[in-house]
PDB file of all heavy atoms in Angstrom:
ATOM      1  N   ARG A 386      -3.640   3.972   0.263  1.00 97.00           N
ATOM      2  CA  ARG A 386      -4.136   5.297  -0.086  1.00 97.00           C
ATOM      3  C   ARG A 386      -5.520   5.522   0.519  1.00 97.00           C
ATOM      4  O   ARG A 386      -5.820   6.580   1.040  1.00 97.00           O
ATOM      5  CB  ARG A 386      -4.182   5.449  -1.608  1.00 97.00           C
ATOM      6  CG  ARG A 386      -4.302   6.880  -2.034  1.00 97.00           C
ATOM      7  CD  ARG A 386      -4.226   7.032  -3.529  1.00 97.00           C
ATOM      8  NE  ARG A 386      -2.876   7.303  -3.996  1.00 97.00           N
ATOM      9  CZ  ARG A 386      -2.624   7.810  -5.207  1.00 97.00           C
ATOM     10  NH1 ARG A 386      -3.604   8.076  -6.038  1.00 97.00           N
ATOM     11  NH2 ARG A 386      -1.391   8.036  -5.584  1.00 97.00           N
ATOM     12  N   LYS A 387      -6.338   4.494   0.480  1.00 96.00           N
ATOM     13  CA  LYS A 387      -7.684   4.588   1.047  1.00 96.00           C
ATOM     14  C   LYS A 387      -7.600   4.887   2.547  1.00 96.00           C
ATOM     15  O   LYS A 387      -8.294   5.775   3.053  1.00 96.00           O
ATOM     16  CB  LYS A 387      -8.422   3.266   0.806  1.00 96.00           C
ATOM     17  CG  LYS A 387      -9.843   3.275   1.310  1.00 96.00           C
ATOM     18  CD  LYS A 387     -10.502   1.926   1.111  1.00 96.00           C
ATOM     19  CE  LYS A 387     -11.703   1.793   2.025  1.00 96.00           C
ATOM     20  NZ  LYS A 387     -12.284   0.460   1.988  1.00 96.00           N
ATOM     21  N   GLU A 388      -6.720   4.159   3.250  1.00 96.00           N
ATOM     22  CA  GLU A 388      -6.526   4.397   4.686  1.00 96.00           C
ATOM     23  C   GLU A 388      -6.142   5.852   4.946  1.00 96.00           C
ATOM     24  O   GLU A 388      -6.634   6.496   5.863  1.00 96.00           O
ATOM     25  CB  GLU A 388      -5.407   3.486   5.227  1.00 96.00           C
ATOM     26  CG  GLU A 388      -5.842   2.070   5.531  1.00 96.00           C
ATOM     27  CD  GLU A 388      -7.023   2.013   6.493  1.00 96.00           C
ATOM     28  OE1 GLU A 388      -6.880   2.534   7.617  1.00 96.00           O
ATOM     29  OE2 GLU A 388      -8.084   1.485   6.105  1.00 96.00           O
ATOM     30  N   ARG A 389      -5.232   6.347   4.116  1.00 97.00           N
ATOM     31  CA  ARG A 389      -4.763   7.730   4.289  1.00 97.00           C
ATOM     32  C   ARG A 389      -5.916   8.714   4.089  1.00 97.00           C
ATOM     33  O   ARG A 389      -6.035   9.698   4.818  1.00 97.00           O
ATOM     34  CB  ARG A 389      -3.633   8.007   3.288  1.00 97.00           C
ATOM     35  CG  ARG A 389      -3.046   9.411   3.385  1.00 97.00           C
ATOM     36  CD  ARG A 389      -1.677   9.497   2.726  1.00 97.00           C
ATOM     37  NE  ARG A 389      -1.718   9.199   1.298  1.00 97.00           N
ATOM     38  CZ  ARG A 389      -2.074  10.081   0.365  1.00 97.00           C
ATOM     39  NH1 ARG A 389      -2.446  11.300   0.705  1.00 97.00           N
ATOM     40  NH2 ARG A 389      -2.082   9.759  -0.918  1.00 97.00           N
ATOM     41  N   TYR A 390      -6.775   8.451   3.114  1.00 97.00           N
ATOM     42  CA  TYR A 390      -7.907   9.348   2.871  1.00 97.00           C
ATOM     43  C   TYR A 390      -8.847   9.355   4.074  1.00 97.00           C
ATOM     44  O   TYR A 390      -9.403  10.384   4.434  1.00 97.00           O
ATOM     45  CB  TYR A 390      -8.693   8.919   1.622  1.00 97.00           C
ATOM     46  CG  TYR A 390      -8.007   9.236   0.311  1.00 97.00           C
ATOM     47  CD1 TYR A 390      -6.734   9.789   0.285  1.00 97.00           C
ATOM     48  CD2 TYR A 390      -8.638   8.991  -0.901  1.00 97.00           C
ATOM     49  CE1 TYR A 390      -6.108  10.070  -0.916  1.00 97.00           C
ATOM     50  CE2 TYR A 390      -8.023   9.275  -2.107  1.00 97.00           C
ATOM     51  CZ  TYR A 390      -6.754   9.808  -2.108  1.00 97.00           C
ATOM     52  OH  TYR A 390      -6.147  10.087  -3.303  1.00 97.00           O
ATOM     53  N   ILE A 391      -9.015   8.168   4.675  1.00 96.00           N
ATOM     54  CA  ILE A 391      -9.914   8.080   5.825  1.00 96.00           C
ATOM     55  C   ILE A 391      -9.280   8.782   7.028  1.00 96.00           C
ATOM     56  O   ILE A 391      -9.909   9.614   7.682  1.00 96.00           O
ATOM     57  CB  ILE A 391     -10.235   6.604   6.155  1.00 96.00           C
ATOM     58  CG1 ILE A 391     -11.038   5.977   5.009  1.00 96.00           C
ATOM     59  CG2 ILE A 391     -10.992   6.489   7.476  1.00 96.00           C
ATOM     60  CD1 ILE A 391     -11.233   4.480   5.108  1.00 96.00           C
ATOM     61  N   ASN A 392      -7.999   8.467   7.281  1.00 96.00           N
ATOM     62  CA  ASN A 392      -7.348   8.984   8.489  1.00 96.00           C
ATOM     63  C   ASN A 392      -6.925  10.442   8.382  1.00 96.00           C
ATOM     64  O   ASN A 392      -7.111  11.215   9.310  1.00 96.00           O
ATOM     65  CB  ASN A 392      -6.133   8.123   8.850  1.00 96.00           C
ATOM     66  CG  ASN A 392      -6.552   6.700   9.185  1.00 96.00           C
ATOM     67  OD1 ASN A 392      -7.664   6.475   9.664  1.00 96.00           O
ATOM     68  ND2 ASN A 392      -5.686   5.743   8.910  1.00 96.00           N
ATOM     69  N   ASN A 393      -6.342  10.824   7.240  1.00 95.00           N
ATOM     70  CA  ASN A 393      -5.810  12.194   7.143  1.00 95.00           C
ATOM     71  C   ASN A 393      -6.810  13.188   6.583  1.00 95.00           C
ATOM     72  O   ASN A 393      -6.779  14.356   6.921  1.00 95.00           O
ATOM     73  CB  ASN A 393      -4.562  12.234   6.253  1.00 95.00           C
ATOM     74  CG  ASN A 393      -3.439  11.393   6.813  1.00 95.00           C
ATOM     75  OD1 ASN A 393      -3.628  10.688   7.803  1.00 95.00           O
ATOM     76  ND2 ASN A 393      -2.282  11.456   6.190  1.00 95.00           N
ATOM     77  N   PHE A 394      -7.674  12.716   5.693  1.00 95.00           N
ATOM     78  CA  PHE A 394      -8.608  13.646   5.051  1.00 95.00           C
ATOM     79  C   PHE A 394      -9.998  13.581   5.676  1.00 95.00           C
ATOM     80  O   PHE A 394     -10.861  14.388   5.353  1.00 95.00           O
ATOM     81  CB  PHE A 394      -8.737  13.335   3.548  1.00 95.00           C
ATOM     82  CG  PHE A 394      -7.495  13.611   2.742  1.00 95.00           C
ATOM     83  CD1 PHE A 394      -7.390  13.136   1.440  1.00 95.00           C
ATOM     84  CD2 PHE A 394      -6.444  14.360   3.260  1.00 95.00           C
ATOM     85  CE1 PHE A 394      -6.253  13.390   0.670  1.00 95.00           C
ATOM     86  CE2 PHE A 394      -5.307  14.620   2.499  1.00 95.00           C
ATOM     87  CZ  PHE A 394      -5.218  14.131   1.206  1.00 95.00           C
ATOM     88  N   GLY A 395     -10.224  12.583   6.529  1.00 94.00           N
ATOM     89  CA  GLY A 395     -11.532  12.445   7.166  1.00 94.00           C
ATOM     90  C   GLY A 395     -12.642  12.042   6.209  1.00 94.00           C
ATOM     91  O   GLY A 395     -13.809  12.344   6.427  1.00 94.00           O
ATOM     92  N   LEU A 396     -12.289  11.348   5.114  1.00 95.00           N
ATOM     93  CA  LEU A 396     -13.331  10.924   4.174  1.00 95.00           C
ATOM     94  C   LEU A 396     -14.073   9.707   4.731  1.00 95.00           C
ATOM     95  O   LEU A 396     -13.483   8.872   5.405  1.00 95.00           O
ATOM     96  CB  LEU A 396     -12.725  10.536   2.820  1.00 95.00           C
ATOM     97  CG  LEU A 396     -11.989  11.588   2.006  1.00 95.00           C
ATOM     98  CD1 LEU A 396     -11.851  11.105   0.566  1.00 95.00           C
ATOM     99  CD2 LEU A 396     -12.692  12.928   2.035  1.00 95.00           C
ATOM    100  N   PRO A 397     -15.369   9.592   4.430  1.00 94.00           N
ATOM    101  CA  PRO A 397     -16.081   8.364   4.794  1.00 94.00           C
ATOM    102  C   PRO A 397     -15.488   7.180   4.031  1.00 94.00           C
ATOM    103  O   PRO A 397     -14.967   7.356   2.925  1.00 94.00           O
ATOM    104  CB  PRO A 397     -17.516   8.619   4.324  1.00 94.00           C
ATOM    105  CG  PRO A 397     -17.598  10.065   3.986  1.00 94.00           C
ATOM    106  CD  PRO A 397     -16.219  10.551   3.717  1.00 94.00           C
ATOM    107  N   ASP A 398     -15.574   6.000   4.631  1.00 92.00           N
ATOM    108  CA  ASP A 398     -15.030   4.778   4.035  1.00 92.00           C
ATOM    109  C   ASP A 398     -15.477   4.609   2.579  1.00 92.00           C
ATOM    110  O   ASP A 398     -14.676   4.335   1.697  1.00 92.00           O
ATOM    111  CB  ASP A 398     -15.520   3.589   4.874  1.00 92.00           C
ATOM    112  CG  ASP A 398     -14.818   2.304   4.508  1.00 92.00           C
ATOM    113  OD1 ASP A 398     -15.170   1.688   3.481  1.00 92.00           O
ATOM    114  OD2 ASP A 398     -13.900   1.927   5.249  1.00 92.00           O
TER     115      ASP A 398
END
Side-chain angles (χ1 to χ4, degrees):
R386 196 175 267 198
K387 182 183 160 187
E388 279 305 301
R389 181 161 62 81
Y390 285 4
I391 294 171
N392 297 331
N393 298 6
F394 292 167
L396 298 197
D398 191 282

